[in-house]
Amino acid sequence: MTSTLDGTGRSEGRWNPRYVWPVAMWLAVVLVLVLFGAGAFATDVPRDQLAFRDLGIDALSRTQGIGPDIEGHFSWPGFLALRGPMSRTSHRIAHITEAPWLVDGVAATLPSTRSGTAGVERAGQWWLVSDLHLGMSDDDPRCPGSVLPQFLCREVLAASGPQQHVAFVGDTFELVGFAEDESLARLESILTRHPDTFWALQACAARGVQLHFVCGNHDAELARPSVAARLSALLSPVEPARVRVYPWFLHVPHVLVAEHGHQHHALHRIPEVLRVAVNGTDGLDLPPLAAWNADPSRSRLSRVGDLARACLASERAERRVRKLAYFQLLQAESLRLALDEVAVRDLAHLSRFRTVSALPVAATRMLLAAAGRRIAREEPPAAAGRVARTLEAHDSGVAWYVSGHTHRALEAALEACPTRYANTGTWSSDVRGRGPDQSDRRAFPYVMVDVARDGATSGGLRYWRPDGG
């Protein structure tokens, strides 16, 4: 900047041309740093996604044009940007289920919104069971494949009233680690091996009962689009929408959330669980415990190597779920679940695999088990409280949080929130709880939730006996 005197004796300031471009470039650098960096301190949205959203590019990229609901205004940090309304749902997740997304650099089409939407009426009855572990045989002493059809006929089909729902909260089938064709063939073989179960499920769907299948660590492949579609076609050929599959969890607004629970168990956790609904477990690394048990015939040293590689892979996957590609899958899931996208993202980040904490805990449990001692916790897992309180914080609280996985049937209150916890236990012989099913093989746990027309809920953990006792 230079100074001169005009005829009045006043100094006149003007820019030296040689300083204009350096200053402009410096301002541009500062602007980019503020735009991409400062927002990270206010939100955990990926920085590039946040920057594009603040420029209005997010709205344009999703709508592929300027719609009538797009408005122009000056948005921080001062750019004239085209931007849509800022409601939590309409602005952030519109149109995303019809667009291709990149997952680890590979284009993938998100599954239809029909898969994973509860679609419930206000009033209804819910029966929730889990951990049947139906496989290619029915040699379990408790014979879950033979008992389930009796339960469905005597309890569900015999009931009358509002909309009826049966939810299988994970590990319904032994169906994991197979390629697409193998998964399809195995699912059909399992249903063929259990014809009474097959018939009872068909009868339920034909009578208008909604069937929900939440995936667990033993039946993750059920979320494959082709496998989910085959299950729907087999159980309800006339109206396939009667059968729905959930790769992660089931959400019924203000009523319940049901998830298997393995996502909160570090050694079983699949960080990128939503990718299973795109292409199954293809390209996903095995969770640490699955890697350890993948081939018991190998030497212990080799299995330790597999475990170490699986731990490193899980750590890398935990970093990927915080990047843009997976964030877009979370957006799509929030639409299917009818749940705010910020709440869905927070739920996805509640639990995380960390080698430094997971392995010492697992080693301690193994040593105690070898010494004949078991850590039997008869209280809700800490993750259940975190899920319930997170939903409450986003004005999406539910009356019930239901899970399985631990094989311990349990009902209890959760700390610092009105949500009640219920674990559906197991119908297999691997009972680990202290309930009546531990000593009575003819006691089968399930959770019942009644929803009145005014939205009030009642129910809880129940035990069903084929003899009616």
Side-chain angles (χ1 to χ4, degrees):
M1 188 151 181
T2 60
S3 179
T4 61
L5 294 176
D6 59 12
T8 62
R10 293 176 298 181
S11 64
E12 176 184 325
R14 69 175 184 270
W15 286 100
N16 188 321
R18 66 180 179 178
Y19 295 120
V20 173
W21 281 110
V23 172
M25 293 298 295
W26 172 247
L27 290 175
V29 170
V30 171
L31 181 62
V32 170
L33 290 176
V34 172
L35 184 62
F36 279 80
F41 294 99
T43 178
D44 59 349
V45 175
R47 286 173 291 179
D48 49 356
Q49 178 77 1
L50 179 69
F52 293 150
R53 189 170 66 193
D54 284 328
L55 287 176
I57 298 175
D58 177 57
L60 295 179
S61 65
R62 287 184 288 100
T63 59
Q64 300 297 313
I66 302 176
D69 60 342
I70 300 296
E71 60 185 78
H73 63 88
F74 279 94
S75 172
W76 183 93
F79 275 20
L80 178 62
L82 291 170
R83 193 170 187 178
M86 287 303 296
S87 67
R88 281 186 171 181
T89 54
S90 63
H91 173 73
R92 294 181 180 177
I93 58 180
H95 308 294
I96 57 178
T97 56
E98 299 175 359
W101 301 113
L102 292 178
V103 182
D104 280 354
V106 179
T109 302
L110 293 174
S112 165
T113 57
R114 181 174 62 80
S115 175
T117 305
V120 298
E121 299 175 357
R122 189 64 173 173
Q125 292 177 304
W126 287 81
W127 289 267
L128 301 102
V129 300
S130 76
D131 295 86
L132 276 71
H133 293 280
L134 300 178
M136 301 297 291
S137 65
D138 198 14
D139 54 0
D140 189 295
R142 297 185 78 191
C143 302
S146 300
V147 177
L148 178 63
Q150 299 178 52
F151 173 79
L152 294 175
C153 291
R154 297 181 190 178
E155 296 295 322
V156 180
L157 293 176
S160 61
Q163 177 67 52
Q164 297 165 302
H165 302 263
V166 177
F168 297 91
V169 192
D171 287 2
T172 308
F173 306 107
E174 286 295 330
L175 186 72
V176 68
F178 297 97
E180 184 171 4
D181 291 342
E182 295 172 323
S183 299
L184 291 168
R186 186 173 176 86
L187 175 64
E188 294 183 2
S189 297
I190 291 174
L191 293 174
T192 301
R193 180 62 183 82
H194 301 278
D196 291 341
T197 295
F198 188 11
W199 173 86
L201 291 171
Q202 283 185 323
C204 286
R207 281 276 301 273
V209 178
Q210 190 74 50
L211 301 177
H212 307 267
F213 291 86
V214 180
C215 294
N217 52 300
H218 281 257
D219 55 8
E221 299 297 342
L222 201 61
R224 282 183 182 271
S226 59
V227 179
R230 183 68 59 85
L231 180 68
S232 298
L234 289 171
L235 300 185
S236 185
V238 176
E239 194 173 355
R242 287 288 179 195
V243 181
R244 301 184 186 277
V245 176
Y246 305 81
W248 182 10
F249 66 87
L250 160 68
H251 171 240
V252 184
H254 308 298
V255 176
L256 64 85
V257 160
E259 64 174 326
H260 184 58
H262 63 293
Q263 286 298 96
H264 306 296
H265 183 182
L267 297 183
H268 284 299
R269 177 171 165 79
I270 305 174
E272 300 169 286
V273 65
L274 293 181
R275 285 184 54 184
V276 181
V278 176
N279 57 2
T281 54
D282 296 345
L284 288 179
D285 295 289
L286 289 175
L289 196 56
W292 171 261
N293 293 320
D295 189 358
S297 63
R298 300 183 65 187
S299 68
R300 284 188 173 272
L301 183 60
S302 298
R303 295 172 68 188
V304 167
D306 294 338
L307 177 63
R309 285 188 289 273
C311 289
L312 292 175
S314 291
E315 295 274 11
R316 290 193 295 267
E318 293 289 3
R319 291 193 291 271
R320 288 196 295 270
V321 301
R322 285 164 170 76
K323 294 184 178 180
L324 179 59
Y326 197 77
F327 176 67
Q328 291 165 335
L329 292 180
L330 291 171
Q331 286 181 306
E333 190 69 5
S334 71
L335 180 61
R336 288 193 292 274
L337 294 173
L339 188 60
D340 175 62
E341 82 168 59
V342 180
V344 170
R345 188 174 68 247
D346 288 348
L347 291 173
H349 297 165
L350 278 182
S351 297
R352 182 175 183 176
F353 175 85
R354 291 180 173 87
T355 304
V356 294
S357 59
L359 292 187
V361 171
T364 301
R365 289 179 177 272
M366 291 173 63
L367 290 174
L368 291 174
R373 299 177 58 189
R374 286 184 175 271
I375 302 177
R377 297 181 57 185
E378 298 302 317
E379 59 185 28
R386 295 199 301 268
V387 170
R389 289 188 291 272
T390 298
L391 291 171
E392 284 285 334
H394 291 282
D395 298 322
S396 300
V398 293
W400 294 90
Y401 172 83
V402 183
S403 70
H405 185 58
T406 64
H407 290 199
R408 292 185 174 91
L410 178 67
E411 180 183 345
L414 291 177
E415 184 179 356
C417 71
T419 302
R420 195 155 183 84
Y421 171 78
N423 190 295
T424 49
T426 181
W427 284 33
S428 73
S429 294
D430 187 19
V431 179
R432 303 172 193 168
R434 296 177 181 174
D437 53 334
Q438 180 66 259
S439 56
D440 184 359
R441 285 185 175 181
R442 305 301 288 172
F444 296 88
Y446 69 99
V447 172
M448 180 72 185
V449 176
D450 274 307
V451 186
R453 293 190 180 279
D454 62 357
T457 66
S458 60
L461 179 63
R462 305 282 188 268
Y463 290 87
W464 183 79
R465 291 174 172 82
D467 57 9

